Amino acid sequence: MPEIRLADLKQMERNTRRHIILDAALTLFAEKDFKSVTVREIARQAGVSIGTIYNYYPNLTELFLDVFLTSAEEITRLLNLTDPKSPPDLEKVCEVYITYLNDNMTFYQMMSHFMLGGDLSADATRKLDDIMKALMDRIEAALAAAGIRENLRLTAHALFSALNGIMISYARYPGKSDDDIRRHTLRLAKIIARVFKTASPSLV
Amino acid sequence: MPEIRLADLKQMERNTRRHIILDAALTLFAEKDFKSVTVREIARQAGVSIGTIYNYYPNLTELFLDVFLTSAEEITRLLNLTDPKSPPDLEKVCEVYITYLNDNMTFYQMMSHFMLGGDLSADATRKLDDIMKALMDRIEAALAAAGIRENLRLTAHALFSALNGIMISYARYPGKSDDDIRRHTLRLAKIIARVFKTASPSLV
Amino acid sequence: MPEIRLADLKQMERNTRRHIILDAALTLFAEKDFKSVTVREIARQAGVSIGTIYNYYPNLTELFLDVFLTSAEEITRLLNLTDPKSPPDLEKVCEVYITYLNDNMTFYQMMSHFMLGGDLSADATRKLDDIMKALMDRIEAALAAAGIRENLRLTAHALFSALNGIMISYARYPGKSDDDIRRHTLRLAKIIARVFKTASPSLV
Amino acid sequence: MPEIRLADLKQMERNTRRHIILDAALTLFAEKDFKSVTVREIARQAGVSIGTIYNYYPNLTELFLDVFLTSAEEITRLLNLTDPKSPPDLEKVCEVYITYLNDNMTFYQMMSHFMLGGDLSADATRKLDDIMKALMDRIEAALAAAGIRENLRLTAHALFSALNGIMISYARYPGKSDDDIRRHTLRLAKIIARVFKTASPSLV
DNA sequence: AATGAATGAGTCTTCATTCAT
DNA sequence: AATGAATGAAGACTCATTCAT
């Protein structure tokens, strides 16, 4: 079955190059505000031409969305804490999420941008929704694994919201270093985790 | 003392015109995404020239910041629920805040933008911090008025975060109308309020 | 002589594929403005790759020219009205030509483009000239068949010009439907035909 | 009334700069195919910035339309041949028009482009229609002044068409110099003029 | 103080053509 | 012969800000 293999190879090569572009974008996003990253820069960073970018993505928005998707998948993996010996703790879940956001402010910027802002195509909107839903499912699963049983979905919604809010409120805390912010946001995450762990069953 | 009076009049006129510009911006923000509002539009809406805008604000960012400040002050007023006969309920505080965000997505967009994003001047940063601090103080005061006593500041932080997070997570909930979103976000706000009311004393 | 046959087959296959490309282009031109048809679209419509197009034509212009040639040949056939029983009428000739232009605006667009516009290669120029000359010959022949004898060539030139001008003047007549335009242009064609039939002998 | 004068002056200055841009475009059009003229070139030629171009015209199409309008007005003036002592001859009218087209192929290119081609805004379409109608009115008036009385409008349509057609058919006559083409097109114009002068009354 | 025309760097995106496979 | 990914020059257009009047 040589044809299949050839097709597979081509697909792999395509995925590889797509990944090169993706990584280039991620690298730039780590350096600067995502709204100020240009196609030209991404192309240069990826070592391809501008046109090639558009060979893999119909426009910049879709590329950004893909970056976002990739990050979301990474978070999902990180939140996969099911260890038979030590069952996942809710605090641990919150810590992982907030740590990721601290390390990847671009992800959070993008989430804000896409959720609040822009005109997305129907297709892009669907993709975004899927991403967010998957992320939410993961949070819910983590909650379930952590022992929460009642009002699971609603609790997940509220917790997810609460965690997201931490960053918007403290990403720019006056006169604090990155490290201070990390500590403070993690502390808030811990509080929220505890609050939800004890309060949810009877109240929601 | 005619000079003083004249100076006062001039100052009043200056404030008036400043307000006209501010209102024009607010009006436009109510209609559309704040990133797409241009100086030209604001000038036209205010009935002044572009140059005049720059006579009152050094740049667009400062104007936007002023708009943000104005909104924040409005929220602060709305959160001033201290009524001797019926002490403010925590749920009510959360409801008022979330309702305001639903009605003024631009405010939330700006908060995201300024908190996560841009290069603000030292002066602008200080202003922003003051605004956020005042808002936080108000939330804290509302919490205090609602009877929360222990770990007040930290609880306020966590609650504020949680409320802010609601909008970023659900402003674009798939397939839901504005009204559905309003209902859902209010419901989450209520949950969070209850959770914090019961859980906070012993846990934080 | 198997080699000859094989060569013939190859040539036939080549012609066939060439025709597939040509037809694809024609189909697209029937749908939209010829300036907005891209190689990619033609390739997709023809079910071949972009590279294949360039295997049959050195560049897009040559392909467009070939399309134009094909259309011109079709017109030539349509203008072949010599019927022994009912000799061709000049009005009929004009009607056929204008009807074709109404039905194939792209042909007219191309004629304008090539005649007025672009940088054609020496080879392309020669081809274009041949096409136009053949078309003119046909008009002249039709005129001759219609009984015109004096100043035949010059009359043909003037008539051909007059007919071509009809479309440029009325293809976009304000507030008129395609059908209105068709009627109006045909009416003008009839007028022109009559004018030339009576006036030409003594005046030219 | 100093205000009025000031306003007048401003308007005059505005018109002047508008004219500078217009002239720059015209100059470039005289040098090359109008489809290949860019904003950058026009700006450089006019000695203004790119942004200034867009201060006077919302987009390139509107600028091109204005150039077209200006040319059409010039033709209209040229066709104003009413001289009490020697009444305008139809042949003269045709000669003037064809001479202008020979000298200003860009005008003809634009007429083709706008009439056959592009997506014009509602406003632009109205302008174009007005231009064409004014031109047609002028042709009709010239016909009237030349003594044509019967079927005036329809004759004007047919004549205008016929004249326009001359250029599309012969702007690229094979192996002929510009001068040859000028002579040939003028000769055809003369033929058409005579044909219409004698044939129209009874036939149209 | 008010004006608003001028600026121009910088943006995304298109698409005919090439060429290694 | 067929493929189609890669190319990159070139395009139109935006808009915060300045500054001469």
Side-chain angles (χ1 to χ4, degrees):
Chain A
M1 40 191 137
E3 284 86 2
I4 295 176
R5 273 185 190 142
L6 185 60
D8 285 353
L9 277 175
K10 282 204 169 181
Q11 188 57 44
M12 278 173 63
E13 195 201 317
R14 188 171 172 82
N15 285 339
T16 301
R17 189 156 322 229
R18 194 183 168 104
H19 236 101
I20 289 171
I21 295 170
L22 211 55
D23 286 342
L26 270 166
T27 302
L28 290 172
F29 288 153
E31 290 169 9
K32 56 200 291 193
D33 186 69
F34 100 100
K35 295 289 277 183
S36 62
V37 172
T38 68
V39 197
R40 213 180 299 269
E41 279 177 313
I42 297 172
R44 196 186 323 128
Q45 175 76 29
V48 300
S49 73
I50 291 176
T52 298
I53 306 272
Y54 286 88
N55 250 153
Y56 288 86
Y57 297 97
N59 50 54
L60 264 202
T61 300
E62 294 281 337
L63 168 54
F64 289 172
L65 209 51
D66 203 14
V67 172
F68 183 61
L69 169 68
T70 305
S71 295
E73 280 170 353
E74 195 185 346
I75 295 184
T76 303
R77 269 195 306 280
L78 291 175
L79 291 180
N80 237 352
L81 302 161
T82 38
D83 176 359
K85 281 172 288 186
S86 61
D89 184 61
L90 193 52
E91 286 179 37
K92 185 68 183 166
V93 169
C94 295
E95 182 196 319
V96 168
Y97 188 61
I98 292 298
T99 298
Y100 188 86
L101 294 190
N102 268 293
D103 291 341
N104 302 273
M105 275 306 290
T106 299
F107 172 77
Y108 194 67
Q109 280 179 2
M110 283 182 160
M111 187 159 71
S112 299
H113 173 72
F114 287 131
M115 291 302 283
L116 303 177
D119 297 317
L120 269 58
S121 70
D123 187 60
T125 299
R126 199 171 344 100
K127 265 190 206 161
L128 176 63
D129 292 341
D130 288 349
I131 296 171
M132 294 304 286
K133 192 167 178 312
L135 199 51
M136 174 65 82
D137 287 345
R138 202 67 224 99
I139 300 262
E140 184 177 341
L143 274 175
I148 306 291
R149 289 289 172 271
E150 292 182 53
N151 292 304
L152 188 56
R153 193 65 182 180
L154 218 48
T155 307
H157 279 208
L159 176 58
F160 186 52
S161 297
L163 292 176
N164 283 330
I166 289 176
M167 292 315 287
I168 205 176
S169 311
Y170 298 101
R172 204 181 234 282
Y173 208 61
K176 303 291 180 183
S177 71
D178 282 5
D179 225 57
D180 291 336
I181 289 174
R182 180 181 298 266
R183 258 198 306 277
H184 188 61
T185 52
L186 281 172
R187 191 170 170 204
L188 289 175
K190 184 170 284 190
I191 292 173
I192 285 172
R194 289 192 192 159
V195 165
F196 271 83
K197 203 168 4 178
T198 56
S200 60
S202 53
L203 285 167
V204 179
Chain B
M1 40 190 143
E3 283 86 1
I4 295 175
R5 274 188 190 137
L6 185 60
D8 284 353
L9 277 175
K10 283 205 167 178
Q11 188 56 44
M12 280 172 63
E13 195 202 316
R14 189 169 168 83
N15 285 340
T16 302
R17 201 176 298 250
R18 194 183 166 102
H19 233 100
I20 288 172
I21 294 170
L22 210 55
D23 285 342
L26 271 166
T27 302
L28 290 172
F29 287 151
E31 289 169 11
K32 56 200 290 195
D33 188 69
F34 103 98
K35 297 289 274 186
S36 63
V37 172
T38 66
V39 198
R40 206 181 299 270
E41 278 178 313
I42 297 171
R44 197 186 319 128
Q45 175 76 27
V48 300
S49 74
I50 291 175
T52 299
I53 306 254
Y54 284 87
N55 253 134
Y56 289 87
Y57 296 97
N59 53 51
L60 255 205
T61 301
E62 294 283 337
L63 168 53
F64 287 175
L65 211 51
D66 204 11
V67 171
F68 183 59
L69 168 67
T70 306
S71 294
E73 281 171 352
E74 194 185 348
I75 295 184
T76 304
R77 270 196 306 281
L78 290 175
L79 291 180
N80 238 351
L81 303 161
T82 38
D83 176 357
K85 280 172 292 187
S86 61
D89 184 61
L90 193 52
E91 286 181 34
K92 185 66 184 168
V93 170
C94 294
E95 181 195 321
V96 167
Y97 187 62
I98 292 298
T99 298
Y100 187 86
L101 294 189
N102 266 294
D103 290 341
N104 302 273
M105 276 305 290
T106 300
F107 172 76
Y108 194 67
Q109 280 178 3
M110 282 181 162
M111 187 158 72
S112 299
H113 174 73
F114 287 130
M115 292 301 284
L116 303 176
D119 298 317
L120 268 59
S121 69
D123 186 60
T125 300
R126 198 171 345 98
K127 265 192 205 162
L128 177 63
D129 292 341
D130 288 349
I131 296 171
M132 295 304 286
K133 191 167 178 310
L135 198 52
M136 175 63 83
D137 287 346
R138 200 69 222 97
I139 299 262
E140 184 177 341
L143 274 176
I148 306 290
R149 289 288 172 271
E150 291 182 53
N151 292 303
L152 189 55
R153 193 62 181 181
L154 218 46
T155 308
H157 278 208
L159 176 58
F160 187 51
S161 297
L163 291 177
N164 283 331
I166 289 177
M167 291 315 287
I168 205 176
S169 311
Y170 298 101
R172 205 181 233 282
Y173 208 61
K176 302 293 180 183
S177 70
D178 283 4
D179 225 57
D180 291 336
I181 288 174
R182 179 181 298 266
R183 256 197 308 275
H184 188 62
T185 53
L186 281 172
R187 193 170 169 204
L188 289 175
K190 184 171 283 188
I191 292 173
I192 285 172
R194 289 190 192 162
V195 164
F196 272 83
K197 203 166 9 177
T198 56
S200 60
S202 53
L203 286 166
V204 179
Chain C
M1 40 191 140
E3 282 85 3
I4 294 176
R5 275 189 189 137
L6 185 59
D8 285 352
L9 277 174
K10 284 204 168 180
Q11 188 57 43
M12 280 173 62
E13 194 200 318
R14 190 169 169 83
N15 285 339
T16 301
R17 200 175 300 249
R18 193 183 168 102
H19 233 99
I20 288 172
I21 294 170
L22 209 55
D23 285 342
L26 272 166
T27 302
L28 289 172
F29 287 152
E31 289 169 10
K32 55 200 292 194
D33 188 69
F34 101 99
K35 297 287 275 186
S36 63
V37 172
T38 66
V39 198
R40 207 180 298 269
E41 279 178 312
I42 297 171
R44 195 184 323 128
Q45 175 77 27
V48 301
S49 73
I50 292 175
T52 300
I53 306 254
Y54 284 87
N55 253 135
Y56 289 87
Y57 296 96
N59 53 51
L60 256 205
T61 301
E62 294 283 338
L63 168 53
F64 287 176
L65 210 51
D66 204 12
V67 171
F68 183 61
L69 168 68
T70 306
S71 293
E73 281 170 352
E74 194 184 347
I75 295 184
T76 304
R77 270 197 304 281
L78 290 175
L79 291 179
N80 239 351
L81 302 162
T82 39
D83 176 359
K85 280 172 291 184
S86 61
D89 184 59
L90 192 52
E91 286 180 36
K92 185 67 185 167
V93 169
C94 294
E95 181 196 320
V96 168
Y97 187 61
I98 291 298
T99 297
Y100 186 86
L101 294 189
N102 267 294
D103 290 341
N104 301 275
M105 275 307 290
T106 299
F107 172 76
Y108 194 66
Q109 280 178 4
M110 283 181 159
M111 186 158 70
S112 298
H113 173 74
F114 287 130
M115 292 301 285
L116 303 176
D119 297 317
L120 268 58
S121 68
D123 186 60
T125 300
R126 200 172 343 99
K127 265 192 207 161
L128 176 63
D129 292 342
D130 289 349
I131 296 170
M132 294 303 287
K133 193 168 178 310
L135 198 51
M136 174 65 82
D137 287 346
R138 201 68 223 98
I139 298 262
E140 183 177 340
L143 274 176
I148 305 292
R149 288 290 172 270
E150 292 182 54
N151 292 302
L152 188 56
R153 192 64 182 179
L154 218 47
T155 307
H157 278 208
L159 175 59
F160 185 51
S161 297
L163 291 177
N164 283 331
I166 289 177
M167 292 314 287
I168 205 177
S169 311
Y170 297 101
R172 205 182 231 281
Y173 207 62
K176 303 293 181 184
S177 70
D178 282 5
D179 225 58
D180 291 336
I181 288 174
R182 180 181 296 266
R183 256 197 307 276
H184 188 62
T185 52
L186 281 172
R187 193 170 169 205
L188 289 175
K190 183 169 286 190
I191 291 172
I192 286 172
R194 289 189 191 161
V195 165
F196 272 84
K197 201 167 7 178
T198 57
S200 59
S202 52
L203 285 166
V204 179
Chain D
M1 41 188 138
E3 285 85 1
I4 294 177
R5 274 185 189 139
L6 185 61
D8 284 354
L9 277 175
K10 284 204 168 180
Q11 188 56 44
M12 279 173 63
E13 194 200 318
R14 190 173 170 80
N15 284 340
T16 301
R17 188 156 323 230
R18 195 183 167 104
H19 236 100
I20 289 171
I21 295 170
L22 210 55
D23 286 343
L26 271 166
T27 302
L28 290 172
F29 288 154
E31 290 169 9
K32 56 200 291 194
D33 187 68
F34 100 98
K35 296 288 277 184
S36 62
V37 172
T38 69
V39 197
R40 214 178 299 270
E41 279 177 313
I42 297 172
R44 197 187 319 129
Q45 174 77 27
V48 299
S49 74
I50 291 176
T52 298
I53 306 272
Y54 286 90
N55 249 155
Y56 288 85
Y57 297 96
N59 52 53
L60 264 202
T61 301
E62 293 282 337
L63 168 54
F64 289 173
L65 209 51
D66 203 14
V67 171
F68 183 61
L69 168 67
T70 305
S71 294
E73 280 170 352
E74 196 184 346
I75 295 184
T76 304
R77 268 196 307 281
L78 290 175
L79 291 179
N80 238 353
L81 302 162
T82 38
D83 175 0
K85 280 172 289 186
S86 61
D89 184 60
L90 192 52
E91 286 180 36
K92 184 69 184 165
V93 170
C94 294
E95 181 196 321
V96 168
Y97 188 62
I98 292 298
T99 299
Y100 187 88
L101 294 189
N102 267 293
D103 291 341
N104 301 273
M105 274 307 289
T106 299
F107 172 77
Y108 194 67
Q109 279 179 4
M110 284 182 160
M111 186 157 72
S112 298
H113 173 72
F114 287 131
M115 292 301 284
L116 303 177
D119 296 319
L120 269 57
S121 69
D123 186 61
T125 299
R126 200 171 342 101
K127 265 190 206 162
L128 176 64
D129 291 343
D130 288 349
I131 296 171
M132 294 305 286
K133 192 169 177 311
L135 200 51
M136 174 65 82
D137 286 346
R138 200 70 223 96
I139 299 262
E140 183 177 341
L143 274 176
I148 305 290
R149 288 288 172 270
E150 291 184 53
N151 293 303
L152 189 56
R153 191 67 181 179
L154 217 48
T155 308
H157 278 208
L159 175 58
F160 186 53
S161 297
L163 291 176
N164 283 330
I166 289 175
M167 292 314 288
I168 206 177
S169 310
Y170 297 101
R172 206 182 233 282
Y173 206 62
K176 302 292 181 183
S177 70
D178 283 5
D179 225 57
D180 291 337
I181 289 174
R182 180 182 297 265
R183 257 198 306 277
H184 188 61
T185 52
L186 281 172
R187 192 170 170 205
L188 289 175
K190 184 170 282 189
I191 292 172
I192 285 172
R194 289 191 192 160
V195 164
F196 272 83
K197 203 168 5 178
T198 56
S200 59
S202 53
L203 285 167
V204 179

